[in-house]
Amino acid sequence: MARLQDKVIIITGAAQGMGATHARMCIEAGAKVVLTDINTEKGQALAAELGNQALFIQHNVTSEDDWTQVIAATQAYFGTINVLVNNAGITQSKSILETSLDDYRRILEINQVSVFLGMKAVIPSMQASKQGSIINISSINGLVGGAIGYTDSKFAVRGMTKAAALECAPFGIRVNSVHPGVIATPMIMQGDTKAAVEAFAKSIPLRRVAQPEEVSRLVLYLASDDSSYSTGSEFIVDGGLTAQ
Ligand SMILES: NC(=O)c1ccc[n+]([C@@H]2O[C@H](COP(=O)([O-])OP(=O)(O)OC[C@H]3O[C@@H](n4cnc5c(N)ncnc54)[C@H](O)[C@@H]3O)[C@@H](O)[C@H]2O)c1
């Protein structure tokens, strides 16, 4: 039997980057995947390419109403939800003095409040079925410092994961965080940033940027029953960057 045979998985921010790769690899492993994103054009095109094990739903992760609709539509289309991957996120690299209050609130809403809303929306259905795996995508900037706003939001995701893991364990729901290092996705490989990222990669112990698939393999582990005893934990995939 395929590793994720018939598991129903919701992945946010799945129109491109790591979310898209997680969706593709979960489907290859037998799962039924709901891809959500604010980018409808890209999300719909990817779901069409992935076939009848994929469904795209337009979704702004900061909207509680959108979350209610995503959960209801997933249950109606595929049935019991087994896994939620809170992956959607944005980055920013401004200093504290350059960051406006609106900038600051925006990144916390998209990277942090969204994870609260996603867990709040999915937990009732997972409680009812006495199972579930919630995978919250943080960053190495949830472990060590980086830019203001981004770092704050990713540290919060790490903490929320532990709070949720303790609260949800009695119901058989596992909650873990994933901490990627430098991964080749549109988020960091566009325009001027690409050259800077490649130069920085020389300082990583494994001397390179990772491909999204290298993070997806960890997400597949946490989505599968292979990780049945892991909850409240931090899973780092960073080529040794934070070991230095
Ligand atoms: N790329 C990296 O090096 C890296 C490293 C550590 C952590 N991460 C984290 O991994 C996750 C995925 O990053 P990526 O590199 O694939 O990014 P990406 O920019 O390539 O993709 C992010 C996706 O999220 C979607 N999105 C943004 N705001 C949204 C919203 N409000 N509602 C719904 N969807 C929204 C975008 O449309 C996009 O499709 C993010 O949480 C990011 O912070 C990335």
Side-chain angles (χ1 to χ4, degrees):
M1 197 167 86
R3 194 177 188 194
L4 297 179
Q5 193 65 45
D6 294 331
K7 285 207 188 278
V8 175
I9 302 180
I10 299 170
I11 305 175
T12 68
Q16 67 172 34
M18 276 187 265
T21 310
H22 301 335
R24 189 182 296 279
M25 287 179 63
C26 285
I27 286 175
E28 284 166 7
K32 296 167 182 164
V33 176
V34 170
L35 300 88
T36 85
D37 208 290
I38 39 166
N39 188 333
T40 308
E41 202 178 320
K42 272 195 176 178
Q44 276 175 343
L46 179 60
E49 182 199 324
L50 294 175
N52 59 10
Q53 279 169 255
L55 172 71
F56 175 75
I57 302 176
Q58 184 180 7
H59 178 201
N60 182 343
V61 290
T62 67
S63 160
E64 194 164 20
D65 288 346
D66 278 12
W67 271 109
T68 305
Q69 283 171 25
V70 165
I71 299 302
T74 302
Q75 288 173 313
Y77 197 80
F78 283 138
T80 303
I81 301 165
N82 302 110
V83 180
L84 168 64
V85 185
N86 278 313
N87 165 78
I90 58 166
T91 189
Q92 72 115 15
S93 53
K94 293 179 186 170
S95 69
I96 296 174
L97 298 187
E98 289 164 342
T99 302
S100 69
L101 181 55
D102 280 349
D103 292 337
Y104 190 70
R105 286 194 168 133
R106 177 166 181 264
I107 198 161
L108 295 194
E109 280 282 323
I110 296 174
N111 289 5
Q112 175 183 338
V113 177
S114 66
V115 175
F116 164 72
L117 291 176
M119 294 198 295
K120 191 171 162 72
V122 83
I123 284 170
S125 70
M126 289 182 170
Q127 279 182 337
S129 55
K130 296 187 171 51
Q131 58 75 48
S133 171
I134 299 173
I135 304 165
N136 293 329
I137 307 299
S138 175
S139 164
I140 52 166
N141 293 130
L143 302 162
V144 297
I148 197 74
Y150 188 74
T151 304
D152 323 23
S153 67
K154 294 301 186 179
F155 263 77
V157 169
R158 174 172 158 228
M160 293 155 76
T161 298
K162 292 187 195 305
L166 297 178
E167 186 177 319
C168 292
F171 303 101
I173 305 168
R174 300 183 294 104
V175 192
N176 292 287
S177 57
V178 171
H179 301 263
V182 185
I183 320 297
T185 70
M187 179 180 271
I188 63 162
M189 295 305 251
Q190 289 190 110
D192 297 346
T193 56
K194 190 168 187 276
V197 166
E198 277 165 357
F200 177 76
K202 297 192 176 77
S203 68
I204 298 170
L206 287 183
R207 298 282 181 269
R208 64 176 178 85
V209 171
Q211 294 306 308
E213 289 76 4
E214 297 180 272
V215 181
S216 299
R217 286 195 283 272
L218 181 53
V219 168
L220 256 72
Y221 166 72
L222 292 171
S224 78
D225 298 337
D226 291 345
S227 57
S228 54
Y229 202 56
S230 293
T231 197
S233 292
E234 295 153 17
F235 290 82
I236 302 169
V237 49
D238 72 348
L241 193 49
T242 53
Q244 295 180 106

